[in-house]
Amino acid sequence: MGGVTAAVLSVPTCVGFGILALAPLGAEFIQYGVLAGLYAAVCGGIISALMGGRDNTVIYSPRGIVTFLISALVAQNLTGTAYGQAGIRDPVMLMALVFLMVFLASALQTLYGILKFGVFAKYLPAPVLAGFQVAGSLLIFAAQIPVVLGLPANMGLTGLSGHFDAIQPWTIVIGVITGIAMMLVPKFAPALPSNIAGLIAGTIGFYLLAGFGLREKLGPLIGAINWSFPSPHYFMKFAAALTLPEYQAMIIPVLTGAASLSVISSLDTLLGARNAERRLGLRLEGNRELYTQGLAGMLASGFGGILPGINMNASFSNQKSGGTGPASIGFYVLLILSGLLLPVIGIIPRVVIASMMIAAAIQLFDRWTLDMFAKVVRGRADNRAGVAADLAIVVIVAVLAIVANIGLAVLMGFVVTIAMFLLRISKSVIRRDFTADAIHSRKMREPEQMAALAERGHRINVIELEGPLFFGTSETLAARLESLRTGSASYVILDVKRVNEMDSSGARVILQGHDRLLQAGKRLVLSGADDRADVAGMLRDTGVYTALGKDHLFADADAALEWAEDRVLALKAGGGEALDDYPLQRFDICSGMSAAELATMQTVLERRQWKQGDIVFREGDAGDELFLIAQGAASVRLNVPGENRSVRLVTFSPGTLFGELALLDREARSATIAADTDLVCHVMSYAHFRQLSEEHPSIAIKLMTNLGRELSSRLRRANRTIYQLEG
């Protein structure tokens, strides 16, 4: 029942699409078109049954967008050339050229699947596909209008102006009946597919009107079809078409048509597989579908068939009717091959098929395009310019596909999309640009040094880059580096941590910027390059690493900023770090204390030492001690989850303190602190603090006041940094 239901559903559309594919050849090719659609379904079913899994219930038959393209390519690449230039009069050889194009396109699609080109589908621009789909739906719609009006099928819309008096109102009535039935009947009888409802209603209406003596005003039937068991005789014709001299002029049109057809058919295959997974609950791998449908198309072309694709409605009905595997597909193929449906096909009115094709064209019209157009017109699009640009691409592709050439339409669509993409991403590669007077490194310094950095920090300029740095985006960076030659900054830090792609043009901009800054007595340093191996490789290959020197390459922007701060502070007399113990009276925490009070403070402090690399304490350790750095430096580090590395949060230098929170709340340590160099600290435990509070409350009050001021200062500094980062 699954196979029978799928065949009944598929045959009308197979017939309609087959007729559409060969329509440009003329009315005498209608029978060949019918067979071309049916053979596509048969060959697609055979390949699907052989290559699918045990649970495969996917039905193959001609697809609307691919069939439209075949029809357009026949009209553009073959018909005019064949009759106008090469003078081909043999209809069999003309058909052979059509199916040769289908064969070559299918062979290319098979190759795409074998080479796993399906992964590139996600990079294909949606507006190009939408424009092509819009063009296809409009042309399918336009091609069927003359039939619904009772006029010759090959007249086209352009020929209607002089034939309004020949329009047959009764064929329009049949078309309306078919369309209404397709829209309304499924609402009342959900089990009846829309195309079957339209086919039945339209055919009954046709014969009822014919019974009232209106037969001559209702247009032709599909007519009797000379059916014989299919044979692959076109394979031999392909060889003749490629070798005989009189057909040499056709080779280029056939090849270019096959290339265009292979691309669009492959895209349709990948999109169809994605939709089928969602609707049918099957696992369909895109590359496998490419070569499966490609093989089906190659087989079908030899018998005189067009390209098959996934028939969603028939596949769904196959499942719902009990089809559970390749056996249902086998019954589907056998029923079509038996010819039992051919007498029924022969008595179907052409106007009914044309009306069903119009409905298919309406369904094919890209819904995204309509939605975006409505939003732009109503002013509801959040990014109106971007949406309008995408709609412009849709229009360009659709117009070119209709009035010019399919291949040109697709090519121009890609070119315009790439141009707009480059325009969008070339605005600026600079994520943030700031000086170090407001944002400092994580190294905590004594108050005098922090004040000096606030005053002299403008001599350090940090530029954070983000996104791809290539020929389309590097000009902004080049202009900024050039402007810094005459600015106040002595050190320029270029952070490339967030650069995800770099070409030689981007690397050369950095190299030229370094040379120009060096000539002006300034220094360019680089940070974050080693986070991406490809970016680091490009910088090495283009000589950037060699020009800067390893002393000016840093793991991250914070390390580079600390290096630049040290050099700015070295310019200030007395601003360097002391070699002896940092004087106790210069610690902010001892501010306002007299000499006697400082002497008392000294009694509650314990002097401790650590070697470089030693751990002062670890995250989670119990602790209640305050540390005042007298010599050396220590850094707060946190382990990165899932990675065998840690990151530095902050570095403390002589004259700064850490561990104050544990002194206040006596909770577990919140981070690990390690000695960056040989380290000397004055340590106050909570017990000594209590002793100080009991015996010298005035000193304890000053200590707590100064500690509160220190915490407040850190909070204000954090607020300023957050403000700068947000800005």
Side-chain angles (χ1 to χ4, degrees):
M1 287 306 299
V4 170
T5 304
V8 171
L9 281 174
S10 299
V11 164
T13 54
C14 289
V15 170
F17 285 135
I19 293 173
L20 172 66
L22 302 185
L25 299 179
E28 64 270 25
F29 288 87
I30 287 179
Q31 176 170 311
Y32 294 104
V34 172
L35 295 178
L38 294 176
Y39 289 163
V42 169
C43 294
I46 292 173
I47 298 298
S48 177
L50 292 176
M51 299 191 64
R54 294 177 57 187
D55 298 328
N56 179 40
T57 55
V58 176
I59 298 297
Y60 286 175
S61 67
R63 295 266 296 178
I65 192 70
V66 177
T67 304
F68 146 70
L69 181 55
I70 294 173
S71 178
L73 290 171
V74 169
Q76 294 174 354
N77 290 16
L78 297 180
T79 305
T81 307
Y83 288 105
Q85 296 179 16
I88 297 176
R89 301 300 179 185
D90 183 357
V92 175
M93 288 307 300
L94 185 57
M95 294 278 290
L97 291 171
V98 174
F99 296 127
L100 174 60
M101 182 176 66
V102 172
F103 175 84
L104 294 174
S106 301
L108 287 173
Q109 180 171 325
T110 304
L111 182 63
Y112 300 156
I114 294 173
L115 297 178
K116 300 188 181 300
F117 282 1
V119 297
F120 296 108
K122 60 184 178 182
Y123 299 112
L124 297 171
V128 174
L129 301 180
F132 188 77
Q133 195 165 329
V134 168
S137 61
L138 291 176
L139 286 176
I140 293 173
F141 185 93
Q144 305 306 315
I145 290 296
V147 179
V148 175
L149 297 179
L151 301 173
N154 59 355
M155 176 176 292
L157 292 181
T158 56
L160 293 181
S161 59
H163 297 83
F164 288 117
D165 56 339
I167 292 176
Q168 301 292 337
W170 292 109
T171 59
I172 299 176
V173 171
I174 298 301
V176 171
I177 291 173
T178 303
I180 291 176
M182 292 180 70
M183 290 189 296
L184 298 182
V185 171
K187 294 182 179 180
F188 301 101
L192 186 64
S194 61
N195 58 341
I196 296 299
L199 179 66
I200 293 173
T203 303
I204 291 175
F206 179 93
Y207 284 103
L208 284 176
L209 292 177
F212 285 103
L214 299 173
R215 176 65 188 84
E216 298 299 323
K217 299 181 179 181
L218 296 175
L221 305 175
I222 290 179
I225 300 171
N226 297 322
W227 179 260
S228 60
F229 199 81
S231 65
H233 60 283
Y234 279 105
F235 285 125
M236 297 302 297
K237 300 292 183 182
F238 296 163
L242 290 171
T243 57
L244 294 178
E246 56 266 34
Y247 302 122
Q248 295 304 306
M250 303 298 298
I251 298 302
I252 298 301
V254 167
L255 290 177
T256 56
S260 299
L261 182 57
S262 69
V263 172
I264 300 302
S265 176
S266 298
L267 296 179
D268 184 67
T269 295
L270 294 170
L271 293 174
R274 192 182 306 166
N275 293 334
E277 281 189 336
R278 183 174 63 252
R279 186 172 177 186
L280 304 178
L282 300 174
R283 176 60 182 162
L284 299 178
E285 202 271 319
N287 289 307
R288 181 180 178 85
E289 280 300 307
L290 280 178
Y291 62 73
T292 298
Q293 293 184 32
L295 291 173
M298 293 170 66
L299 180 64
S301 64
F303 289 90
I306 57 178
L307 272 163
I310 296 175
N311 186 323
M312 204 71 63
N313 291 331
S315 301
F316 185 73
S317 297
N318 182 22
Q319 282 188 349
K320 292 300 182 182
S321 300
T324 56
S328 63
I329 302 175
F331 279 106
Y332 165 79
V333 171
L334 289 174
L335 182 58
I336 298 176
L337 276 178
S338 67
L340 293 177
L341 297 175
L342 290 180
V344 178
I345 294 173
I347 64 172
I348 296 175
R350 286 283 312 280
V351 64
V352 173
I353 294 294
S355 301
M356 294 172 62
M357 296 297 293
I358 288 176
I362 294 173
Q363 293 175 348
L364 181 64
F365 198 95
D366 186 60
R367 293 292 182 270
W368 174 85
T369 301
L370 290 177
D371 292 342
M372 294 300 101
F373 180 77
K375 286 184 178 180
V376 170
V377 171
R378 296 171 184 169
R380 297 179 181 176
D382 294 330
N383 182 10
R384 191 167 184 176
V387 172
D390 287 342
L391 288 176
I393 297 174
V394 173
V395 172
I396 290 172
V397 173
V399 170
L400 287 175
I402 292 172
V403 304
N405 181 275
I406 298 296
L408 177 63
V410 175
L411 177 62
M412 286 301 299
F414 274 95
V415 170
V416 173
T417 302
I418 292 172
M420 288 188 173
F421 170 74
L422 293 177
L423 183 63
R424 288 173 180 173
I425 69 171
S426 63
K427 293 179 180 178
S428 179
V429 72
I430 298 176
R431 177 177 183 263
R432 189 162 61 237
D433 188 345
F434 61 90
T435 54
D437 48 358
I439 298 178
H440 306 308
S441 71
R442 297 179 189 138
K443 185 172 184 178
M444 299 296 294
R445 304 175 188 271
E446 62 168 301
E448 286 186 15
Q449 292 182 335
M450 297 304 291
L453 286 178
E455 178 185 347
R456 293 168 157 257
H458 64 276
R459 303 191 67 171
I460 304 171
N461 201 104
V462 181
I463 302 175
E464 293 182 359
L465 305 182
E466 183 177 43
L469 181 62
F470 68 115
F471 66 91
T473 60
S474 58
E475 185 57 35
T476 305
L477 175 61
R480 179 56 181 145
L481 291 177
E482 182 63 24
S483 69
L484 289 171
R485 290 185 69 247
T486 57
S488 61
S490 299
Y491 300 95
V492 177
I493 299 172
L494 200 60
D495 183 30
V496 297
K497 179 180 181 179
R498 296 174 182 83
V499 173
N500 52 26
E501 188 68 39
M502 184 185 295
D503 69 355
S504 58
S505 298
R508 285 182 62 83
V509 164
I510 297 176
L511 188 60
Q512 292 168 358
H514 163 264
D515 294 341
R516 298 278 289 169
L517 288 170
L518 200 60
Q519 292 171 6
K522 302 172 185 296
R523 170 61 70 177
L524 176 70
V525 300
L526 200 66
S527 68
D530 290 337
D531 284 359
R532 289 191 63 93
D534 51 348
V535 172
M538 178 59 69
L539 292 169
R540 274 191 293 268
D541 293 341
T542 52
V544 175
Y545 274 16
T546 302
L548 268 65
K550 64 179 182 179
D551 292 337
H552 301 109
L553 303 173
F554 296 90
D556 54 51
D558 185 67
L561 187 55
E562 180 183 329
W563 174 88
E565 288 174 347
D566 289 341
R567 272 137 191 84
V568 168
L569 290 172
L571 300 176
K572 180 177 173 60
E577 294 174 358
L579 297 176
D580 299 325
D581 280 3
Y582 192 88
L584 186 63
Q585 65 269 20
R586 289 180 59 186
F587 280 93
D588 249 13
I589 200 172
C590 297
S591 177
M593 294 185 184
S594 64
E597 290 173 328
L598 288 171
T600 302
M601 273 285 293
Q602 193 73 56
T603 63
V604 297
L605 295 174
E606 177 187 352
R607 192 174 189 274
R608 297 184 194 171
Q609 300 183 34
W610 292 266
K611 293 293 185 182
Q612 181 178 355
D614 287 351
I615 302 298
V616 180
F617 54 74
R618 296 185 183 276
E619 180 181 356
D621 287 352
D624 59 2
E625 295 174 327
L626 171 68
F627 297 79
L628 309 178
I629 298 183
Q631 290 186 40
S635 291
V636 181
R637 308 194 72 87
L638 285 179
N639 291 324
V640 179
E643 299 183 28
N644 188 25
R645 66 184 181 92
S646 61
V647 294
R648 181 182 72 159
L649 296 184
V650 65
T651 296
F652 297 101
S653 61
T656 61
L657 58 88
F658 61 87
E660 69 282 356
L661 295 181
L663 180 69
L664 298 175
D665 58 22
R666 287 169 291 166
E667 296 289 339
R669 299 294 185 182
S670 59
T672 298
I673 291 189
D676 295 337
T677 62
D678 290 346
L679 180 68
V680 177
C681 291
H682 301 302
V683 183
M684 176 188 290
S685 67
Y686 179 74
H688 285 130
F689 174 70
R690 286 196 59 183
Q691 175 188 342
L692 191 66
S693 301
E694 293 171 358
E695 298 177 2
H696 305 280
S698 61
I699 299 178
I701 291 174
K702 289 181 179 180
L703 180 67
M704 293 302 294
T705 301
N706 292 331
L707 188 58
R709 186 183 299 110
E710 171 68 18
L711 293 175
S712 175
S713 175
R714 292 184 183 183
L715 182 59
R716 289 180 182 276
R717 188 160 58 247
N719 286 340
R720 286 196 302 271
T721 300
I722 293 172
Y723 175 79
Q724 290 289 332
L725 295 178
E726 288 295 325

